[in-house]
mmCIF file of all heavy atoms in Angstrom:
data_model
loop_
_atom_site.group_PDB
_atom_site.id
_atom_site.type_symbol
_atom_site.label_atom_id
_atom_site.label_comp_id
_atom_site.label_asym_id
_atom_site.label_seq_id
_atom_site.Cartn_x
_atom_site.Cartn_y
_atom_site.Cartn_z
ATOM 1 N N SER A 1 3.824 1.483 -2.776
ATOM 2 C CA SER A 1 4.679 0.296 -3.237
ATOM 3 C C SER A 1 4.819 -0.793 -2.162
ATOM 4 O O SER A 1 5.096 -1.945 -2.450
ATOM 5 C CB SER A 1 6.174 0.747 -3.633
ATOM 6 O OG SER A 1 6.942 0.985 -2.540
ATOM 7 N N LEU A 2 4.596 -0.285 -0.944
ATOM 8 C CA LEU A 2 4.714 -1.114 0.216
ATOM 9 C C LEU A 2 5.976 -1.896 0.303
ATOM 10 O O LEU A 2 6.099 -3.010 1.011
ATOM 11 C CB LEU A 2 3.564 -2.262 0.241
ATOM 12 C CG LEU A 2 2.111 -1.605 0.387
ATOM 13 C CD1 LEU A 2 1.064 -2.641 0.054
ATOM 14 C CD2 LEU A 2 1.946 -0.980 1.865
ATOM 15 N N THR A 3 7.047 -1.354 -0.217
ATOM 16 C CA THR A 3 8.463 -1.888 -0.211
ATOM 17 C C THR A 3 9.053 -1.780 1.178
ATOM 18 O O THR A 3 10.138 -2.336 1.389
ATOM 19 C CB THR A 3 9.204 -1.464 -1.344
ATOM 20 O OG1 THR A 3 9.217 -0.075 -1.297
ATOM 21 C CG2 THR A 3 8.667 -1.882 -2.657
ATOM 22 N N ARG A 4 8.614 -0.781 1.940
ATOM 23 C CA ARG A 4 9.218 -0.513 3.195
ATOM 24 C C ARG A 4 8.333 -1.099 4.360
ATOM 25 O O ARG A 4 8.540 -0.723 5.547
ATOM 26 C CB ARG A 4 9.368 0.975 3.500
ATOM 27 C CG ARG A 4 10.425 1.626 2.722
ATOM 28 C CD ARG A 4 9.796 2.260 1.551
ATOM 29 N NE ARG A 4 10.671 3.300 0.857
ATOM 30 C CZ ARG A 4 10.472 3.855 -0.308
ATOM 31 N NH1 ARG A 4 9.401 3.497 -0.953
ATOM 32 N NH2 ARG A 4 11.254 4.657 -0.777
ATOM 33 N N ALA A 5 7.324 -1.825 4.145
ATOM 34 C CA ALA A 5 6.449 -2.356 5.079
ATOM 35 C C ALA A 5 7.250 -3.391 5.971
ATOM 36 O O ALA A 5 8.152 -3.981 5.616
ATOM 37 C CB ALA A 5 5.207 -3.093 4.539
ATOM 38 N N GLY A 6 6.818 -3.387 7.330
ATOM 39 C CA GLY A 6 7.433 -4.239 8.211
ATOM 40 C C GLY A 6 6.949 -5.688 8.153
ATOM 41 O O GLY A 6 6.143 -6.045 7.319
ATOM 42 N N ASP A 7 7.611 -6.551 8.913
ATOM 43 C CA ASP A 7 7.234 -7.975 9.017
ATOM 44 C C ASP A 7 6.085 -8.165 9.858
ATOM 45 O O ASP A 7 6.044 -7.997 11.052
ATOM 46 C CB ASP A 7 8.472 -8.778 9.529
ATOM 47 C CG ASP A 7 8.246 -10.299 9.510
ATOM 48 O OD1 ASP A 7 6.980 -10.695 9.759
ATOM 49 O OD2 ASP A 7 9.148 -11.043 9.378
ATOM 50 N N GLU A 8 4.912 -8.323 9.296
ATOM 51 C CA GLU A 8 3.660 -8.322 9.965
ATOM 52 C C GLU A 8 3.606 -9.266 11.187
ATOM 53 O O GLU A 8 2.977 -9.025 12.226
ATOM 54 C CB GLU A 8 2.476 -8.461 9.084
ATOM 55 C CG GLU A 8 2.435 -9.701 8.225
ATOM 56 C CD GLU A 8 1.586 -9.603 6.968
ATOM 57 O OE1 GLU A 8 1.708 -8.610 6.320
ATOM 58 O OE2 GLU A 8 0.965 -10.566 6.757
ATOM 59 N N ARG A 9 4.170 -10.526 10.954
ATOM 60 C CA ARG A 9 4.278 -11.524 12.016
ATOM 61 C C ARG A 9 5.070 -11.101 13.067
ATOM 62 O O ARG A 9 4.726 -11.278 14.286
ATOM 63 C CB ARG A 9 4.585 -12.873 11.461
ATOM 64 C CG ARG A 9 3.568 -13.427 10.507
ATOM 65 C CD ARG A 9 3.933 -14.864 10.097
ATOM 66 N NE ARG A 9 2.957 -15.504 9.223
ATOM 67 C CZ ARG A 9 3.009 -16.757 8.749
ATOM 68 N NH1 ARG A 9 3.973 -17.487 9.089
ATOM 69 N NH2 ARG A 9 2.002 -17.170 8.036
ATOM 70 N N ALA A 10 6.322 -10.674 12.868
ATOM 71 C CA ALA A 10 7.285 -10.278 13.748
ATOM 72 C C ALA A 10 6.706 -9.114 14.707
ATOM 73 O O ALA A 10 6.974 -8.994 15.860
ATOM 74 C CB ALA A 10 8.579 -9.894 13.173
ATOM 75 N N LEU A 11 6.048 -8.191 14.003
ATOM 76 C CA LEU A 11 5.482 -7.031 14.651
ATOM 77 C C LEU A 11 4.179 -7.341 15.425
ATOM 78 O O LEU A 11 3.651 -6.510 16.196
ATOM 79 C CB LEU A 11 5.235 -5.835 13.621
ATOM 80 C CG LEU A 11 6.497 -5.242 13.077
ATOM 81 C CD1 LEU A 11 6.168 -4.377 11.923
ATOM 82 C CD2 LEU A 11 7.322 -4.436 14.154
ATOM 83 N N GLY A 12 3.529 -8.403 15.057
ATOM 84 C CA GLY A 12 2.198 -8.687 15.718
ATOM 85 C C GLY A 12 1.251 -7.702 15.181
ATOM 86 O O GLY A 12 0.308 -7.287 15.992
ATOM 87 N N SER A 13 1.316 -7.298 13.962
ATOM 88 C CA SER A 13 0.518 -6.237 13.306
ATOM 89 C C SER A 13 -0.988 -6.661 13.189
ATOM 90 O O SER A 13 -1.206 -7.745 12.789
ATOM 91 C CB SER A 13 1.081 -5.784 12.038
ATOM 92 O OG SER A 13 0.187 -4.690 11.465
ATOM 93 N N ASP A 14 -1.858 -5.822 13.416
ATOM 94 C CA ASP A 14 -3.251 -6.038 13.283
ATOM 95 C C ASP A 14 -3.710 -5.715 11.784
ATOM 96 O O ASP A 14 -4.806 -6.109 11.381
ATOM 97 C CB ASP A 14 -4.129 -5.233 14.196
ATOM 98 C CG ASP A 14 -3.862 -3.713 14.074
ATOM 99 O OD1 ASP A 14 -2.753 -3.332 13.721
ATOM 100 O OD2 ASP A 14 -4.814 -2.885 14.389
ATOM 101 N N VAL A 15 -2.903 -5.080 11.061
ATOM 102 C CA VAL A 15 -3.138 -4.919 9.603
ATOM 103 C C VAL A 15 -1.968 -5.664 8.827
ATOM 104 O O VAL A 15 -0.828 -5.748 9.356
ATOM 105 C CB VAL A 15 -3.127 -3.450 9.202
ATOM 106 C CG1 VAL A 15 -4.457 -2.776 9.759
ATOM 107 C CG2 VAL A 15 -1.899 -2.685 9.536
ATOM 108 N N THR A 16 -2.248 -6.132 7.632
ATOM 109 C CA THR A 16 -1.329 -6.817 6.862
ATOM 110 C C THR A 16 -0.973 -6.029 5.618
ATOM 111 O O THR A 16 -1.678 -5.107 5.239
ATOM 112 C CB THR A 16 -1.911 -8.177 6.424
ATOM 113 O OG1 THR A 16 -2.952 -8.089 5.544
ATOM 114 C CG2 THR A 16 -2.350 -9.082 7.653
ATOM 115 N N VAL A 17 0.121 -6.555 4.930
ATOM 116 C CA VAL A 17 0.418 -5.905 3.681
ATOM 117 C C VAL A 17 -0.674 -6.149 2.637
ATOM 118 O O VAL A 17 -0.985 -5.198 1.852
ATOM 119 C CB VAL A 17 1.798 -6.516 3.171
ATOM 120 C CG1 VAL A 17 2.089 -5.994 1.756
ATOM 121 C CG2 VAL A 17 2.941 -6.100 4.155
ATOM 122 N N ALA A 18 -1.262 -7.269 2.674
ATOM 123 C CA ALA A 18 -2.318 -7.590 1.796
ATOM 124 C C ALA A 18 -3.627 -6.600 2.046
ATOM 125 O O ALA A 18 -4.184 -6.120 1.025
ATOM 126 C CB ALA A 18 -2.864 -8.971 1.842
ATOM 127 N N ASP A 19 -3.807 -6.264 3.222
ATOM 128 C CA ASP A 19 -4.893 -5.324 3.656
ATOM 129 C C ASP A 19 -4.569 -3.995 2.868
ATOM 130 O O ASP A 19 -5.453 -3.328 2.254
ATOM 131 C CB ASP A 19 -5.010 -5.101 5.088
ATOM 132 C CG ASP A 19 -5.471 -6.357 5.799
ATOM 133 O OD1 ASP A 19 -6.214 -7.244 5.282
ATOM 134 O OD2 ASP A 19 -5.113 -6.453 6.971
ATOM 135 N N CYS A 20 -3.275 -3.633 3.074
ATOM 136 C CA CYS A 20 -2.902 -2.256 2.646
ATOM 137 C C CYS A 20 -2.929 -2.213 1.107
ATOM 138 O O CYS A 20 -3.344 -1.202 0.491
ATOM 139 C CB CYS A 20 -1.499 -1.928 3.062
ATOM 140 S SG CYS A 20 -1.425 -1.705 4.929
ATOM 141 N N ALA A 21 -2.551 -3.364 0.376
ATOM 142 C CA ALA A 21 -2.605 -3.415 -0.980
ATOM 143 C C ALA A 21 -3.867 -3.293 -1.533
ATOM 144 O O ALA A 21 -4.202 -2.675 -2.574
ATOM 145 C CB ALA A 21 -1.857 -4.770 -1.502
ATOM 146 N N ARG A 22 -4.916 -3.932 -0.933
ATOM 147 C CA ARG A 22 -6.325 -3.805 -1.300
ATOM 148 C C ARG A 22 -6.755 -2.317 -1.270
ATOM 149 O O ARG A 22 -7.492 -1.835 -2.229
ATOM 150 C CB ARG A 22 -7.217 -4.684 -0.539
ATOM 151 C CG ARG A 22 -7.151 -6.142 -0.848
ATOM 152 C CD ARG A 22 -8.352 -6.935 -0.286
ATOM 153 N NE ARG A 22 -8.107 -6.953 1.277
ATOM 154 C CZ ARG A 22 -7.446 -7.890 1.870
ATOM 155 N NH1 ARG A 22 -6.806 -8.885 1.232
ATOM 156 N NH2 ARG A 22 -7.443 -7.882 3.231
ATOM 157 N N CYS A 23 -6.431 -1.640 -0.195
ATOM 158 C CA CYS A 23 -6.776 -0.248 -0.094
ATOM 159 C C CYS A 23 -6.142 0.587 -1.199
ATOM 160 O O CYS A 23 -6.838 1.458 -1.762
ATOM 161 C CB CYS A 23 -6.344 0.266 1.310
ATOM 162 S SG CYS A 23 -7.213 -0.494 2.726
ATOM 163 N N TYR A 24 -4.840 0.336 -1.485
ATOM 164 C CA TYR A 24 -4.147 1.148 -2.546
ATOM 165 C C TYR A 24 -4.779 0.840 -3.851
ATOM 166 O O TYR A 24 -4.866 1.753 -4.752
ATOM 167 C CB TYR A 24 -2.713 0.932 -2.452
ATOM 168 C CG TYR A 24 -1.956 1.801 -1.458
ATOM 169 C CD1 TYR A 24 -1.219 1.162 -0.420
ATOM 170 C CD2 TYR A 24 -2.125 3.120 -1.313
ATOM 171 C CE1 TYR A 24 -0.519 1.885 0.562
ATOM 172 C CE2 TYR A 24 -1.485 3.904 -0.404
ATOM 173 C CZ TYR A 24 -0.682 3.235 0.584
ATOM 174 O OH TYR A 24 -0.012 3.920 1.476
ATOM 175 N N ARG A 25 -5.126 -0.410 -4.073
ATOM 176 C CA ARG A 25 -5.734 -0.729 -5.440
ATOM 177 C C ARG A 25 -7.025 0.063 -5.675
ATOM 178 O O ARG A 25 -7.438 0.459 -6.708
ATOM 179 C CB ARG A 25 -6.005 -2.223 -5.569
ATOM 180 C CG ARG A 25 -4.647 -2.991 -5.850
ATOM 181 C CD ARG A 25 -5.016 -4.380 -6.398
ATOM 182 N NE ARG A 25 -5.695 -5.214 -5.346
ATOM 183 C CZ ARG A 25 -5.133 -5.960 -4.437
ATOM 184 N NH1 ARG A 25 -3.809 -6.043 -4.411
ATOM 185 N NH2 ARG A 25 -5.876 -6.680 -3.600
ATOM 186 N N ALA A 26 -7.854 0.221 -4.462
ATOM 187 C CA ALA A 26 -9.103 0.972 -4.698
ATOM 188 C C ALA A 26 -8.829 2.441 -4.881
ATOM 189 O O ALA A 26 -9.484 3.077 -5.728
ATOM 190 C CB ALA A 26 -9.861 0.715 -3.397
ATOM 191 N N TYR A 27 -7.877 3.004 -4.192
ATOM 192 C CA TYR A 27 -7.576 4.384 -4.201
ATOM 193 C C TYR A 27 -6.777 4.804 -5.546
ATOM 194 O O TYR A 27 -6.980 5.877 -6.026
ATOM 195 C CB TYR A 27 -6.895 4.834 -2.971
ATOM 196 C CG TYR A 27 -6.618 6.317 -2.894
ATOM 197 C CD1 TYR A 27 -7.702 7.261 -2.945
ATOM 198 C CD2 TYR A 27 -5.326 6.942 -2.534
ATOM 199 C CE1 TYR A 27 -7.449 8.633 -2.852
ATOM 200 C CE2 TYR A 27 -5.128 8.286 -2.509
ATOM 201 C CZ TYR A 27 -6.179 9.148 -2.602
ATOM 202 O OH TYR A 27 -5.989 10.528 -2.507
ATOM 203 N N LEU A 28 -5.894 3.935 -5.894
ATOM 204 C CA LEU A 28 -4.998 4.282 -7.003
ATOM 205 C C LEU A 28 -5.143 3.105 -7.966
ATOM 206 O O LEU A 28 -4.303 2.286 -8.200
ATOM 207 C CB LEU A 28 -3.523 4.241 -6.480
ATOM 208 C CG LEU A 28 -3.233 5.381 -5.354
ATOM 209 C CD1 LEU A 28 -1.924 5.065 -4.745
ATOM 210 C CD2 LEU A 28 -3.387 6.704 -5.935
ATOM 211 N N PRO A 29 -6.239 3.020 -8.732
ATOM 212 C CA PRO A 29 -6.470 1.896 -9.633
ATOM 213 C C PRO A 29 -5.563 1.896 -10.914
ATOM 214 O O PRO A 29 -5.281 0.778 -11.393
ATOM 215 C CB PRO A 29 -7.945 2.134 -10.101
ATOM 216 C CG PRO A 29 -8.154 3.605 -9.898
ATOM 217 C CD PRO A 29 -7.338 3.965 -8.708
ATOM 218 N N GLU A 30 -4.970 3.014 -11.192
ATOM 219 C CA GLU A 30 -3.946 3.070 -12.251
ATOM 220 C C GLU A 30 -2.529 3.053 -11.731
ATOM 221 O O GLU A 30 -2.113 3.785 -10.919
ATOM 222 C CB GLU A 30 -4.182 4.365 -13.117
ATOM 223 C CG GLU A 30 -5.535 4.451 -13.751
ATOM 224 C CD GLU A 30 -5.776 5.663 -14.496
ATOM 225 O OE1 GLU A 30 -4.834 6.363 -14.844
ATOM 226 O OE2 GLU A 30 -6.960 6.075 -14.702
ATOM 227 N N ALA A 31 -1.772 2.098 -12.234
ATOM 228 C CA ALA A 31 -0.407 1.878 -11.609
ATOM 229 C C ALA A 31 0.431 3.161 -11.751
ATOM 230 O O ALA A 31 1.148 3.499 -10.779
ATOM 231 C CB ALA A 31 0.397 0.765 -12.380
ATOM 232 N N ALA A 32 0.273 3.931 -12.760
ATOM 233 C CA ALA A 32 1.130 5.118 -12.896
ATOM 234 C C ALA A 32 0.796 6.158 -11.778
ATOM 235 O O ALA A 32 1.685 6.951 -11.428
ATOM 236 C CB ALA A 32 0.793 5.791 -14.231
ATOM 237 N N GLN A 33 -0.407 6.139 -11.254
ATOM 238 C CA GLN A 33 -0.766 7.068 -10.158
ATOM 239 C C GLN A 33 0.141 6.861 -8.914
ATOM 240 O O GLN A 33 0.319 7.704 -8.098
ATOM 241 C CB GLN A 33 -2.194 6.880 -9.696
ATOM 242 C CG GLN A 33 -3.158 7.303 -10.852
ATOM 243 C CD GLN A 33 -4.597 6.920 -10.413
ATOM 244 O OE1 GLN A 33 -4.845 5.883 -9.661
ATOM 245 N NE2 GLN A 33 -5.658 7.662 -10.923
ATOM 246 N N ARG A 34 0.666 5.572 -8.810
ATOM 247 C CA ARG A 34 1.287 5.291 -7.522
ATOM 248 C C ARG A 34 2.700 5.899 -7.384
ATOM 249 O O ARG A 34 3.374 5.683 -6.340
ATOM 250 C CB ARG A 34 1.360 3.742 -7.353
ATOM 251 C CG ARG A 34 0.031 3.135 -7.372
ATOM 252 C CD ARG A 34 -0.067 1.694 -7.407
ATOM 253 N NE ARG A 34 -1.464 1.154 -7.600
ATOM 254 C CZ ARG A 34 -1.783 -0.011 -7.553
ATOM 255 N NH1 ARG A 34 -0.962 -1.023 -7.267
ATOM 256 N NH2 ARG A 34 -3.161 -0.393 -7.723
ATOM 257 N N LEU A 35 3.097 6.551 -8.371
ATOM 258 C CA LEU A 35 4.397 7.362 -8.326
ATOM 259 C C LEU A 35 4.140 8.842 -8.173
ATOM 260 O O LEU A 35 5.082 9.604 -8.057
ATOM 261 C CB LEU A 35 5.238 7.091 -9.579
ATOM 262 C CG LEU A 35 5.699 5.642 -9.666
ATOM 263 C CD1 LEU A 35 6.445 5.445 -10.962
ATOM 264 C CD2 LEU A 35 6.498 5.174 -8.499
ATOM 265 N N HIS A 36 2.929 9.325 -8.254
ATOM 266 C CA HIS A 36 2.638 10.734 -8.133
ATOM 267 C C HIS A 36 2.945 11.152 -6.730
ATOM 268 O O HIS A 36 2.576 10.458 -5.736
ATOM 269 C CB HIS A 36 1.059 10.985 -8.435
ATOM 270 C CG HIS A 36 0.741 12.335 -8.656
ATOM 271 N ND1 HIS A 36 0.707 13.321 -7.685
ATOM 272 C CD2 HIS A 36 0.399 13.042 -9.807
ATOM 273 C CE1 HIS A 36 0.364 14.468 -8.203
ATOM 274 N NE2 HIS A 36 0.103 14.319 -9.521
ATOM 275 N N PRO A 37 3.576 12.401 -6.567
ATOM 276 C CA PRO A 37 3.951 12.770 -5.231
ATOM 277 C C PRO A 37 2.748 12.966 -4.170
ATOM 278 O O PRO A 37 2.884 12.749 -2.985
ATOM 279 C CB PRO A 37 4.710 14.022 -5.476
ATOM 280 C CG PRO A 37 4.316 14.461 -6.835
ATOM 281 C CD PRO A 37 4.025 13.216 -7.619
ATOM 282 N N TYR A 38 1.630 13.236 -4.864
ATOM 283 C CA TYR A 38 0.404 13.399 -4.007
ATOM 284 C C TYR A 38 -0.193 12.044 -3.498
ATOM 285 O O TYR A 38 -1.036 12.059 -2.697
ATOM 286 C CB TYR A 38 -0.646 14.349 -4.653
ATOM 287 C CG TYR A 38 -0.231 15.678 -5.000
ATOM 288 C CD1 TYR A 38 -1.030 16.432 -5.824
ATOM 289 C CD2 TYR A 38 0.935 16.255 -4.465
ATOM 290 C CE1 TYR A 38 -0.629 17.720 -6.250
ATOM 291 C CE2 TYR A 38 1.363 17.502 -4.873
ATOM 292 C CZ TYR A 38 0.495 18.265 -5.686
ATOM 293 O OH TYR A 38 0.856 19.523 -6.088
ATOM 294 N N ALA A 39 0.275 11.030 -4.261
ATOM 295 C CA ALA A 39 -0.198 9.688 -3.805
ATOM 296 C C ALA A 39 0.831 8.831 -3.182
ATOM 297 O O ALA A 39 0.528 7.796 -2.518
ATOM 298 C CB ALA A 39 -0.562 8.935 -5.181
ATOM 299 N N ALA A 40 2.111 9.318 -3.218
ATOM 300 C CA ALA A 40 3.235 8.492 -2.733
ATOM 301 C C ALA A 40 4.108 9.474 -1.954
ATOM 302 O O ALA A 40 5.295 9.712 -2.522
ATOM 303 C CB ALA A 40 3.941 7.645 -3.818
#
């Protein structure tokens, strides 16, 4: 869900929420999967 992600600018993070979202869309293409305990 990426709802607990930090502030990428404040943290000076080398990965962004958008990067992570793309990865999760590839791994979990069906929205319902994103609540499965083995996926989340």
Side-chain angles (χ1 to χ4, degrees):
S1 76
L2 294 169
T3 55
R4 290 98 163 167
D7 184 326
E8 56 204 45
R9 291 187 178 181
L11 291 170
S13 179
D14 57 334
V15 293
T16 68
V17 172
D19 294 332
C20 297
R22 283 192 293 272
C23 293
Y24 280 123
R25 283 196 298 271
Y27 185 55
L28 303 166
E30 299 175 20
Q33 294 173 329
R34 299 177 191 183
L35 295 177
H36 194 291
Y38 301 165

